[in-house]
Amino acid sequence: MFEALRSTFEMFRTQKVRFSLTVSGIVVGVGSLVVMASFLQVGKMVLQQSSTEASGDDIITVRNDWDARMNNPDARILDAADKRNIDESSLLSAETKTTATYGMQDRKATFKGVDYTPFTIGIGDETLPVYNLKVGKGRTFSDSDQAEGRRVVIVGAEALDGKVEPGDQVRVEGRPFLVIGVLERKAEMGPGGPWSWNKRILFPARTYAVNFDPTGRPSNIVVKVGLPPEMTGLMKDYVLATRTVVDTILMQNRTVKSYEIEAVSDDSSTEALILQVIEGLLYLTTVFSMIVGGINIMNIMLVTVTERTREIGLRRAVGATQGAILRQFLAETLAITMVGAGIGLGGALAILAVGSLAMTKWVAQWPFHVEPWSVFLGLLFSCGIGLTFGLYPAWRASRLDPVDALRFE
Protein backbone atom coordinates (compact mmCIF):
# COMPACT_ATOMS: atom_id res chain seq x y z
CA MET A 1 0.00 0.00 0.00
CA PHE A 2 2.93 2.32 0.70
CA GLU A 3 4.15 1.83 -2.88
CA ALA A 4 0.65 2.61 -4.15
CA LEU A 5 0.57 5.87 -2.18
CA ARG A 6 4.02 6.75 -3.51
CA SER A 7 2.78 6.17 -7.06
CA THR A 8 -0.29 8.33 -6.37
CA PHE A 9 1.72 11.26 -5.06
CA GLU A 10 4.14 10.87 -7.98
CA MET A 11 1.17 11.24 -10.35
CA PHE A 12 0.12 14.35 -8.45
CA ARG A 13 3.64 15.80 -8.68
CA THR A 14 4.19 15.14 -12.37
CA GLN A 15 0.65 15.23 -13.80
CA LYS A 16 -1.39 17.65 -11.69
CA VAL A 17 -4.13 18.24 -14.25
CA ARG A 18 -4.57 14.53 -14.89
CA PHE A 19 -4.63 13.78 -11.16
CA SER A 20 -7.17 16.54 -10.51
CA LEU A 21 -9.49 15.22 -13.22
CA THR A 22 -9.09 11.68 -11.89
CA VAL A 23 -10.14 12.45 -8.32
CA SER A 24 -12.61 15.28 -9.06
CA GLY A 25 -15.69 13.08 -8.84
CA ILE A 26 -14.65 11.53 -5.52
CA VAL A 27 -13.70 14.94 -4.10
CA VAL A 28 -17.08 16.43 -5.05
CA GLY A 29 -19.01 13.35 -3.90
CA VAL A 30 -17.43 13.05 -0.44
CA GLY A 31 -17.38 16.80 0.11
CA SER A 32 -21.00 17.29 -0.89
CA LEU A 33 -22.12 14.34 1.27
CA VAL A 34 -20.46 15.74 4.40
CA VAL A 35 -21.59 19.33 3.71
CA MET A 36 -25.13 18.31 2.84
CA ALA A 37 -25.53 16.06 5.88
CA SER A 38 -24.32 18.82 8.20
CA PHE A 39 -26.40 21.59 6.64
CA LEU A 40 -29.54 19.45 6.60
CA GLN A 41 -29.14 18.49 10.25
CA VAL A 42 -28.29 21.99 11.50
CA GLY A 43 -30.85 23.52 9.15
CA LYS A 44 -33.63 21.37 10.58
CA MET A 45 -32.59 22.33 14.10
CA VAL A 46 -32.42 26.05 13.29
CA LEU A 47 -35.71 25.95 11.37
CA GLN A 48 -37.45 24.09 14.19
CA GLN A 49 -36.16 26.58 16.73
CA SER A 50 -37.17 29.56 14.56
CA SER A 51 -40.56 28.01 13.87
CA THR A 52 -41.10 27.36 17.56
CA GLU A 53 -40.20 30.94 18.47
CA ALA A 54 -42.33 32.41 15.67
CA SER A 55 -45.39 30.17 15.70
CA GLY A 56 -45.24 28.73 19.21
CA ASP A 57 -45.09 25.00 18.51
CA ASP A 58 -44.40 24.46 22.23
CA ILE A 59 -47.50 26.41 23.27
CA ILE A 60 -50.94 25.06 24.16
CA THR A 61 -53.79 27.57 23.97
CA VAL A 62 -57.14 27.01 25.69
CA ARG A 63 -60.05 29.20 24.56
CA ASN A 64 -63.80 29.22 25.03
CA ASP A 65 -65.98 27.18 22.69
CA TRP A 66 -68.85 29.62 22.27
CA ASP A 67 -70.96 27.17 20.26
CA ALA A 68 -70.92 24.75 23.18
CA ARG A 69 -71.73 27.61 25.57
CA MET A 70 -74.78 28.69 23.56
CA ASN A 71 -76.09 25.17 23.01
CA ASN A 72 -75.73 23.87 26.57
CA PRO A 73 -76.74 25.75 29.73
CA ASP A 74 -74.32 23.67 31.84
CA ALA A 75 -71.31 24.84 29.84
CA ARG A 76 -68.83 26.94 31.83
CA ILE A 77 -66.64 29.64 30.35
CA LEU A 78 -62.99 29.92 31.32
CA ASP A 79 -62.17 31.74 34.54
CA ALA A 80 -59.28 32.45 36.89
CA ALA A 81 -59.88 29.17 38.73
CA ASP A 82 -59.15 27.19 35.55
CA LYS A 83 -55.81 28.94 35.15
CA ARG A 84 -54.99 28.38 38.79
CA ASN A 85 -55.86 24.66 38.58
CA ILE A 86 -53.55 24.19 35.59
CA ASP A 87 -50.81 26.30 37.14
CA GLU A 88 -50.85 24.36 40.41
CA SER A 89 -51.30 20.87 38.96
CA SER A 90 -48.65 18.34 39.93
CA LEU A 91 -49.32 16.48 36.67
CA LEU A 92 -47.36 19.07 34.71
CA SER A 93 -43.58 19.41 34.75
CA ALA A 94 -41.97 22.17 36.80
CA GLU A 95 -40.53 23.58 33.55
CA THR A 96 -44.03 24.21 32.16
CA LYS A 97 -45.32 27.79 32.52
CA THR A 98 -48.91 29.00 32.56
CA THR A 99 -50.26 32.44 31.80
CA ALA A 100 -53.44 34.06 30.50
CA THR A 101 -54.42 36.76 28.04
CA TYR A 102 -57.42 39.03 28.33
CA GLY A 103 -59.73 40.88 25.97
CA MET A 104 -57.95 40.52 22.63
CA GLN A 105 -59.92 43.12 20.71
CA ASP A 106 -59.41 45.95 18.20
CA ARG A 107 -59.84 49.32 19.88
CA LYS A 108 -59.68 52.93 18.78
CA ALA A 109 -56.40 54.61 19.66
CA THR A 110 -54.90 58.03 19.08
CA PHE A 111 -51.21 58.87 18.96
CA LYS A 112 -49.95 62.37 18.16
CA GLY A 113 -53.28 63.29 16.60
CA VAL A 114 -53.41 60.26 14.29
CA ASP A 115 -56.17 57.66 14.70
CA TYR A 116 -55.41 53.94 14.71
CA THR A 117 -57.26 50.70 15.44
CA PRO A 118 -54.64 48.42 17.01
CA PHE A 119 -55.24 45.00 18.49
CA THR A 120 -55.26 45.32 22.28
CA ILE A 121 -54.64 42.61 24.83
CA GLY A 122 -54.23 42.28 28.59
CA ILE A 123 -51.40 40.01 29.66
CA GLY A 124 -50.47 38.15 32.82
CA ASP A 125 -47.12 37.90 34.55
CA GLU A 126 -45.63 35.11 32.42
CA THR A 127 -46.97 36.14 29.01
CA LEU A 128 -43.80 37.77 27.66
CA PRO A 129 -41.46 34.81 28.33
CA VAL A 130 -44.13 32.31 27.29
CA TYR A 131 -44.32 33.88 23.83
CA ASN A 132 -40.57 34.61 23.66
CA LEU A 133 -41.27 38.35 23.68
CA LYS A 134 -38.56 40.79 24.73
CA VAL A 135 -38.70 44.48 25.48
CA GLY A 136 -36.23 46.26 23.19
CA LYS A 137 -36.73 49.76 24.59
CA GLY A 138 -37.86 50.79 28.06
CA ARG A 139 -38.98 48.21 30.57
CA THR A 140 -41.52 45.47 31.11
CA PHE A 141 -44.47 45.57 33.52
CA SER A 142 -43.51 45.55 37.19
CA ASP A 143 -45.34 43.72 39.97
CA SER A 144 -46.85 47.03 41.11
CA ASP A 145 -48.03 47.79 37.55
CA GLN A 146 -49.93 44.51 37.58
CA ALA A 147 -51.21 44.69 41.16
CA GLU A 148 -52.31 48.33 41.07
CA GLY A 149 -53.65 48.37 37.52
CA ARG A 150 -51.56 51.34 36.46
CA ARG A 151 -52.31 52.95 33.14
CA VAL A 152 -49.16 51.82 31.39
CA VAL A 153 -48.71 49.92 28.13
CA ILE A 154 -46.08 48.13 26.07
CA VAL A 155 -46.40 48.42 22.29
CA GLY A 156 -45.25 46.14 19.49
CA ALA A 157 -42.32 47.12 17.29
CA GLU A 158 -44.64 48.02 14.39
CA ALA A 159 -47.66 49.28 16.34
CA LEU A 160 -48.87 52.82 15.62
CA ASP A 161 -46.61 52.97 12.55
CA GLY A 162 -43.60 52.00 14.70
CA LYS A 163 -43.09 55.61 15.83
CA VAL A 164 -43.72 55.11 19.56
CA GLU A 165 -40.99 55.57 22.16
CA PRO A 166 -40.98 54.94 25.92
CA GLY A 167 -42.40 58.00 27.66
CA ASP A 168 -44.95 58.76 24.92
CA GLN A 169 -48.64 58.93 25.71
CA VAL A 170 -51.25 56.94 23.81
CA ARG A 171 -55.00 57.29 24.12
CA VAL A 172 -57.06 54.12 23.87
CA GLU A 173 -60.86 54.55 23.81
CA GLY A 174 -60.20 58.11 24.98
CA ARG A 175 -58.20 57.06 28.07
CA PRO A 176 -54.53 58.11 28.37
CA PHE A 177 -51.85 55.45 28.85
CA LEU A 178 -48.10 55.88 29.34
CA VAL A 179 -45.84 53.85 27.04
CA ILE A 180 -43.18 52.22 29.22
CA GLY A 181 -41.72 49.78 26.69
CA VAL A 182 -41.45 48.81 23.03
CA LEU A 183 -41.09 45.14 22.09
CA GLU A 184 -38.28 43.81 19.97
CA ARG A 185 -39.55 42.72 16.59
CA LYS A 186 -40.77 39.12 16.77
CA ALA A 187 -40.08 36.77 13.87
CA GLU A 188 -43.22 35.66 12.09
CA MET A 189 -44.13 32.55 10.11
CA GLY A 190 -46.26 33.76 7.20
CA PRO A 191 -47.53 37.24 6.35
CA GLY A 192 -48.29 38.30 9.93
CA GLY A 193 -51.19 40.76 9.87
CA PRO A 194 -52.99 43.02 12.34
CA TRP A 195 -53.00 40.26 14.99
CA SER A 196 -49.21 40.08 14.94
CA TRP A 197 -47.45 40.71 18.24
CA ASN A 198 -45.49 43.39 16.42
CA LYS A 199 -48.68 45.45 16.00
CA ARG A 200 -50.35 44.97 19.38
CA ILE A 201 -50.74 47.19 22.42
CA LEU A 202 -50.22 45.26 25.66
CA PHE A 203 -51.80 46.16 29.02
CA PRO A 204 -51.30 44.68 32.49
CA ALA A 205 -54.13 42.22 33.10
CA ARG A 206 -55.66 44.26 35.93
CA THR A 207 -55.35 47.50 33.94
CA TYR A 208 -57.25 45.91 31.06
CA ALA A 209 -59.96 44.62 33.40
CA VAL A 210 -60.46 47.99 35.13
CA ASN A 211 -60.65 49.96 31.90
CA PHE A 212 -62.24 47.59 29.40
CA ASP A 213 -63.50 44.30 30.85
CA PRO A 214 -64.56 44.32 34.51
CA THR A 215 -65.36 40.56 34.46
CA GLY A 216 -61.61 39.85 34.56
CA ARG A 217 -62.14 36.49 32.85
CA PRO A 218 -59.28 35.29 30.64
CA SER A 219 -59.89 35.01 26.91
CA ASN A 220 -57.15 32.41 26.61
CA ILE A 221 -55.23 30.26 29.04
CA VAL A 222 -51.77 29.65 27.63
CA VAL A 223 -49.44 26.81 28.60
CA LYS A 224 -45.82 26.85 27.45
CA VAL A 225 -44.58 23.29 27.57
CA GLY A 226 -41.14 22.71 29.05
CA LEU A 227 -39.33 19.38 28.81
CA PRO A 228 -38.18 17.95 32.15
CA PRO A 229 -34.42 17.24 32.29
CA GLU A 230 -34.89 13.48 32.23
CA MET A 231 -37.22 13.59 29.22
CA THR A 232 -35.98 12.32 25.86
CA GLY A 233 -37.76 12.29 22.52
CA LEU A 234 -39.53 14.82 20.33
CA MET A 235 -40.97 18.04 21.69
CA LYS A 236 -44.09 17.49 19.58
CA ASP A 237 -44.89 14.20 21.32
CA TYR A 238 -44.49 15.77 24.75
CA VAL A 239 -46.68 18.72 23.76
CA LEU A 240 -49.43 16.33 22.65
CA ALA A 241 -49.17 14.42 25.92
CA THR A 242 -49.36 17.68 27.89
CA ARG A 243 -52.44 18.70 25.93
CA THR A 244 -54.18 15.55 27.15
CA VAL A 245 -53.19 16.37 30.75
CA VAL A 246 -54.54 19.95 30.42
CA ASP A 247 -57.80 18.56 29.05
CA THR A 248 -58.07 16.22 32.03
CA ILE A 249 -57.47 19.06 34.51
CA LEU A 250 -60.11 21.31 32.95
CA MET A 251 -62.75 18.57 32.85
CA GLN A 252 -62.44 17.84 36.58
CA ASN A 253 -64.90 20.65 37.40
CA ARG A 254 -67.04 20.37 34.27
CA THR A 255 -69.78 18.15 32.94
CA VAL A 256 -69.67 19.66 29.47
CA LYS A 257 -66.58 20.41 27.42
CA SER A 258 -66.95 24.12 26.73
CA TYR A 259 -63.45 24.95 25.57
CA GLU A 260 -61.12 24.30 22.66
CA ILE A 261 -57.46 23.35 22.94
CA GLU A 262 -55.02 24.34 20.21
CA ALA A 263 -51.54 22.83 20.03
CA VAL A 264 -49.04 21.53 17.52
CA SER A 265 -50.69 19.17 15.06
CA ASP A 266 -50.31 15.47 15.72
CA ASP A 267 -50.64 14.72 12.00
CA SER A 268 -47.25 15.55 10.52
CA SER A 269 -46.67 12.32 8.60
CA THR A 270 -47.07 14.01 5.21
CA GLU A 271 -44.55 16.75 6.03
CA ALA A 272 -42.10 14.16 7.38
CA LEU A 273 -42.48 12.04 4.23
CA ILE A 274 -41.86 15.05 1.97
CA LEU A 275 -38.74 15.95 3.96
CA GLN A 276 -37.44 12.39 3.76
CA VAL A 277 -37.97 12.31 -0.01
CA ILE A 278 -36.11 15.61 -0.44
CA GLU A 279 -33.23 14.38 1.72
CA GLY A 280 -33.11 11.12 -0.21
CA LEU A 281 -32.93 12.92 -3.56
CA LEU A 282 -30.17 15.22 -2.30
CA TYR A 283 -28.10 12.33 -1.00
CA LEU A 284 -28.69 10.45 -4.25
CA THR A 285 -26.94 13.23 -6.18
CA THR A 286 -23.78 12.64 -4.14
CA VAL A 287 -23.95 8.92 -4.93
CA PHE A 288 -24.21 9.68 -8.66
CA SER A 289 -21.26 12.05 -8.38
CA MET A 290 -19.12 9.37 -6.78
CA ILE A 291 -20.17 6.76 -9.34
CA VAL A 292 -19.23 9.14 -12.15
CA GLY A 293 -15.95 9.70 -10.31
CA GLY A 294 -15.43 5.95 -10.20
CA ILE A 295 -16.00 5.64 -13.96
CA ASN A 296 -13.51 8.44 -14.50
CA ILE A 297 -10.94 6.66 -12.33
CA MET A 298 -11.49 3.42 -14.25
CA ASN A 299 -10.87 5.16 -17.56
CA ILE A 300 -7.70 6.82 -16.27
CA MET A 301 -6.43 3.52 -14.86
CA LEU A 302 -7.05 1.78 -18.21
CA VAL A 303 -4.91 4.46 -19.83
CA THR A 304 -2.32 3.99 -17.09
CA VAL A 305 -2.22 0.22 -17.75
CA THR A 306 -1.59 0.91 -21.44
CA GLU A 307 1.16 3.43 -20.64
CA ARG A 308 2.84 1.03 -18.21
CA THR A 309 2.63 -2.09 -20.37
CA ARG A 310 6.43 -2.49 -20.60
CA GLU A 311 6.74 -2.02 -16.81
CA ILE A 312 4.16 -4.76 -16.30
CA GLY A 313 6.06 -7.01 -18.72
CA LEU A 314 9.33 -6.45 -16.85
CA ARG A 315 7.70 -7.27 -13.51
CA ARG A 316 6.20 -10.44 -14.94
CA ALA A 317 9.59 -11.36 -16.43
CA VAL A 318 11.32 -11.12 -13.07
CA GLY A 319 8.74 -13.33 -11.40
CA ALA A 320 5.71 -11.19 -10.45
CA THR A 321 2.53 -13.26 -10.48
CA GLN A 322 -0.79 -12.24 -11.96
CA GLY A 323 -2.13 -11.85 -8.41
CA ALA A 324 0.71 -9.47 -7.53
CA ILE A 325 -0.02 -7.29 -10.59
CA LEU A 326 -3.74 -7.35 -9.75
CA ARG A 327 -3.10 -6.29 -6.15
CA GLN A 328 -0.69 -3.57 -7.25
CA PHE A 329 -3.16 -1.80 -9.53
CA LEU A 330 -6.06 -2.31 -7.13
CA ALA A 331 -3.96 -0.73 -4.38
CA GLU A 332 -3.09 2.21 -6.64
CA THR A 333 -6.74 2.75 -7.54
CA LEU A 334 -7.74 2.53 -3.88
CA ALA A 335 -4.98 4.98 -2.95
CA ILE A 336 -6.18 7.48 -5.55
CA THR A 337 -9.79 7.30 -4.31
CA MET A 338 -8.78 7.61 -0.65
CA VAL A 339 -6.58 10.63 -1.38
CA GLY A 340 -9.50 12.15 -3.28
CA ALA A 341 -11.80 11.37 -0.34
CA GLY A 342 -9.33 13.04 2.04
CA ILE A 343 -9.22 16.16 -0.15
CA GLY A 344 -13.02 16.19 -0.33
CA LEU A 345 -13.29 15.84 3.45
CA GLY A 346 -10.83 18.68 4.04
CA GLY A 347 -12.70 20.90 1.60
CA ALA A 348 -16.00 20.05 3.27
CA LEU A 349 -14.69 21.03 6.71
CA ALA A 350 -13.46 24.35 5.30
CA ILE A 351 -16.83 25.01 3.63
CA LEU A 352 -18.69 24.16 6.84
CA ALA A 353 -16.48 26.50 8.88
CA VAL A 354 -16.97 29.40 6.47
CA GLY A 355 -20.66 28.56 6.03
CA SER A 356 -21.19 28.52 9.79
CA LEU A 357 -19.73 32.01 10.15
CA ALA A 358 -21.68 33.35 7.16
CA MET A 359 -25.02 31.83 8.21
CA THR A 360 -24.57 33.06 11.79
CA LYS A 361 -23.90 36.57 10.52
CA TRP A 362 -26.68 36.83 7.94
CA VAL A 363 -29.34 34.22 8.80
CA ALA A 364 -29.39 32.83 12.36
CA GLN A 365 -27.15 31.23 14.96
CA TRP A 366 -25.61 28.38 12.96
CA PRO A 367 -23.21 26.11 14.88
CA PHE A 368 -20.31 24.32 13.19
CA HIS A 369 -21.34 20.68 13.07
CA VAL A 370 -20.13 17.56 11.26
CA GLU A 371 -22.26 14.43 11.04
CA PRO A 372 -19.89 11.54 11.95
CA TRP A 373 -21.87 9.06 9.88
CA SER A 374 -21.37 11.16 6.73
CA VAL A 375 -17.58 11.10 7.16
CA PHE A 376 -17.55 7.34 7.77
CA LEU A 377 -19.96 6.64 4.91
CA GLY A 378 -18.04 8.92 2.53
CA LEU A 379 -14.74 7.15 3.22
CA LEU A 380 -16.38 3.72 3.09
CA PHE A 381 -18.15 4.46 -0.18
CA SER A 382 -14.93 5.86 -1.67
CA CYS A 383 -13.15 2.66 -0.74
CA GLY A 384 -15.92 0.63 -2.40
CA ILE A 385 -15.77 2.81 -5.52
CA GLY A 386 -12.00 2.35 -5.73
CA LEU A 387 -12.19 -1.44 -5.42
CA THR A 388 -15.18 -1.79 -7.77
CA PHE A 389 -14.02 0.45 -10.59
CA GLY A 390 -10.36 -0.48 -10.21
CA LEU A 391 -11.01 -4.18 -10.54
CA TYR A 392 -11.29 -4.30 -14.35
CA PRO A 393 -8.13 -2.24 -15.08
CA ALA A 394 -6.22 -4.33 -12.51
CA TRP A 395 -7.53 -7.58 -14.01
CA ARG A 396 -6.59 -6.39 -17.49
CA ALA A 397 -3.08 -5.51 -16.32
CA SER A 398 -2.64 -8.92 -14.67
CA ARG A 399 -3.69 -10.70 -17.88
CA LEU A 400 -1.08 -9.09 -20.13
CA ASP A 401 1.25 -11.56 -21.78
CA PRO A 402 4.82 -10.86 -20.57
CA VAL A 403 6.37 -11.34 -24.02
CA ASP A 404 3.86 -9.08 -25.76
CA ALA A 405 4.20 -6.54 -22.97
CA LEU A 406 7.99 -6.36 -23.38
CA ARG A 407 7.58 -5.84 -27.14
CA PHE A 408 5.05 -3.01 -26.60
CA GLU A 409 6.17 0.38 -27.87
Side-chain angles (χ1 to χ4, degrees):
M1 190 64 184
F2 177 78
E3 183 63 25
L5 285 173
R6 188 196 64 77
S7 176
T8 299
F9 287 117
E10 182 64 20
M11 179 191 293
F12 172 74
R13 188 182 67 82
T14 59
Q15 305 177 57
K16 292 183 174 60
V17 174
R18 180 174 176 176
F19 178 83
S20 299
L21 293 174
T22 303
V23 300
S24 59
I26 298 298
V27 170
V28 172
V30 173
S32 59
L33 175 63
V34 174
V35 170
M36 205 173 299
S38 171
F39 267 68
L40 284 173
Q41 181 63 29
V42 177
K44 285 192 290 186
M45 180 186 70
V46 171
L47 181 61
Q48 182 179 11
Q49 181 178 354
S50 299
S51 175
T52 298
E53 292 179 356
S55 60
D57 287 345
D58 57 348
I59 289 177
I60 298 172
T61 303
V62 183
R63 57 172 51 96
N64 288 301
D65 184 347
W66 294 108
D67 288 338
R69 178 77 176 100
M70 294 178 65
N71 296 327
N72 196 313
D74 293 330
R76 279 183 49 208
I77 62 176
L78 297 174
D79 55 28
D82 290 318
K83 176 185 177 300
R84 186 168 57 252
N85 290 339
I86 296 173
D87 200 21
E88 297 175 354
S89 175
S90 59
L91 298 176
L92 299 176
S93 69
E95 290 73 22
T96 296
K97 299 178 181 178
T98 306
T99 188
T101 56
Y102 303 82
M104 303 181 65
Q105 184 177 342
D106 292 333
R107 295 188 182 277
K108 294 180 180 179
T110 304
F111 176 63
K112 294 185 177 180
V114 180
D115 293 332
Y116 299 90
T117 310
F119 190 72
T120 61
I121 181 174
I123 64 171
D125 295 333
E126 296 287 344
T127 302
L128 295 184
V130 161
Y131 283 101
N132 296 310
L133 298 170
K134 298 179 181 178
V135 175
K137 300 178 182 178
R139 65 175 179 86
T140 186
F141 296 134
S142 65
D143 292 340
S144 57
D145 291 333
Q146 290 280 8
E148 299 173 15
R150 294 176 180 171
R151 284 190 175 181
V152 293
V153 294
I154 296 174
V155 300
E158 300 173 6
L160 309 178
D161 291 335
K163 300 177 180 178
V164 186
E165 297 289 337
D168 288 340
Q169 186 183 89
V170 176
R171 286 188 171 271
V172 181
E173 301 289 356
R175 301 177 178 87
F177 294 88
L178 176 66
V179 177
I180 62 170
V182 178
L183 295 177
E184 290 183 0
R185 189 182 185 283
K186 180 176 173 63
E188 297 174 343
M189 298 294 287
W195 280 37
S196 165
W197 282 102
N198 296 316
K199 299 179 180 179
R200 297 185 182 188
I201 296 182
L202 284 56
F203 301 79
R206 183 171 176 78
T207 302
Y208 194 93
V210 169
N211 289 274
F212 306 116
D213 183 12
T215 66
R217 294 193 182 99
S219 301
N220 293 331
I221 297 175
V222 184
V223 179
K224 185 180 180 65
V225 180
L227 287 176
E230 67 277 6
M231 179 66 187
T232 59
L234 298 176
M235 168 64 83
K236 183 197 75 171
D237 296 334
Y238 193 71
V239 171
L240 294 175
T242 304
R243 182 177 67 178
T244 302
V245 173
V246 170
D247 190 29
T248 302
I249 295 170
L250 291 172
M251 285 302 297
Q252 288 178 348
N253 298 319
R254 284 178 167 81
T255 57
V256 176
K257 186 173 182 177
S258 56
Y259 55 86
E260 299 174 321
I261 300 181
E262 291 186 359
V264 61
S265 173
D266 54 359
D267 183 18
S268 58
S269 56
T270 302
E271 292 83 351
L273 178 61
I274 292 174
L275 182 60
Q276 289 174 1
V277 170
I278 292 174
E279 288 185 0
L281 291 174
L282 289 174
Y283 288 134
L284 196 58
T285 61
T286 67
V287 174
F288 286 148
S289 176
M290 296 179 76
I291 290 175
V292 171
I295 295 173
N296 192 32
I297 289 174
M298 183 175 68
N299 289 333
I300 296 297
M301 291 305 296
L302 285 172
V303 173
T304 300
V305 169
T306 301
E307 292 175 344
R308 296 167 62 183
T309 299
R310 284 182 62 83
E311 175 192 332
I312 295 170
L314 286 172
R315 290 203 61 192
R316 291 296 310 277
V318 298
T321 64
Q322 289 183 339
I325 300 296
L326 179 71
R327 288 192 295 273
Q328 174 192 349
F329 279 87
L330 267 182
E332 290 183 12
T333 306
L334 183 60
I336 290 173
T337 56
M338 295 310 292
V339 169
I343 295 173
L345 178 58
L349 295 177
I351 292 173
L352 289 177
V354 174
S356 174
L357 295 175
M359 296 294 280
T360 299
K361 181 176 181 179
W362 288 302
V363 179
Q365 185 63 37
W366 197 280
F368 175 82
H369 173 75
V370 178
E371 285 287 294
W373 67 264
S374 66
V375 176
F376 174 77
L377 187 61
L379 295 177
L380 181 64
F381 203 71
S382 297
C383 182
I385 289 288
L387 293 175
T388 301
F389 288 91
L391 186 60
Y392 177 67
W395 176 84
R396 185 170 177 177
S398 68
R399 293 295 172 177
L400 288 176
D401 183 85
V403 176
D404 292 337
L406 287 171
R407 290 174 179 173
F408 183 81
E409 295 294 338

